[in-house]
């Protein structure tokens, strides 16, 4: 039930690094931290999930909400550093087709 979220802001760009597990208990903290950022006009939000060991459907729902909100405000959203397990989760739900995703071996 541990989660850590580090946020670095630069003008119209925000980098967030999430560590731990994203589940029904921790997803509200992710939403509470990142959703207000998604409401900024033209924001670019990149979320690094390299250190996320587990995510359930609650976490997926949070990221879908953030993604939709960013698009509604003319911004861009990217998930980075997904493990094969997390990438598969986004693929089987069809979210990999609409959300910009880079896997662990693709992170710069």
């Amino acid at each position: 039930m541990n989660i850590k979220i580090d946020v670095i802001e630069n003008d119209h760009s925000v980098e967030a690094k999430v560590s731990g597990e994203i589940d029904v208990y921790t997803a509200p903290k992710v939403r509470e931290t990142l959703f207000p950022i998604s409401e900024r006009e033209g924001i670019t939000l990149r979320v690094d999930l390299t250190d996320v060991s587990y995510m359930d459907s609650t976490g997926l729902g949070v990221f879908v909400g953030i993604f939709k909100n960013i698009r509604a405000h003319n911004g861009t959203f990217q998930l980075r550093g997904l493990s094969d397990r997390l990438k598969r989760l986004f693929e089987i739900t069809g979210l990999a087709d609409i959300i910009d995703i880079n896997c662990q071996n693709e992170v710069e």
Side-chain angles (χ1 to χ4, degrees):
M1 289 196 324
N2 291 331
I3 191 143
K4 181 178 178 191
I5 307 166
D6 295 315
V7 176
I8 300 170
E9 299 190 37
N10 301 306
D11 294 327
H12 284 53
S13 176
V14 176
E15 304 278 338
K17 181 162 180 61
V18 182
S19 304
E21 296 182 355
I22 304 173
D23 57 23
V24 69
Y25 302 104
T26 60
K29 182 173 181 184
V30 175
R31 185 183 191 290
E32 174 185 298
T33 303
L34 300 180
F35 197 80
I37 295 166
S38 73
E39 296 178 318
R40 298 181 196 167
E41 190 66 28
I43 195 75
T44 295
L45 175 59
R46 292 181 190 90
V47 180
D48 185 346
L49 301 177
T50 301
D51 295 329
V52 171
S53 57
Y54 173 82
M55 184 178 349
D56 68 10
S57 61
T58 312
L60 283 175
V62 168
F63 286 116
V64 168
I66 290 168
F67 169 74
K68 286 181 177 181
N69 210 30
I70 285 177
R71 287 197 49 187
H73 290 89
N74 303 307
T76 56
F77 180 60
Q78 181 183 68
L79 294 174
R80 308 175 90 179
L82 276 72
S83 65
D84 289 339
R85 173 185 261 175
L86 290 183
K87 182 181 178 197
R88 180 79 177 125
L89 183 62
F90 279 87
E91 287 174 343
I92 62 175
T93 58
L95 294 172
D97 296 333
I98 60 170
I99 297 176
D100 184 5
I101 295 175
N102 286 331
C103 297
Q104 285 180 344
N105 56 0
E106 297 170 349
V107 174
E108 300 165 2

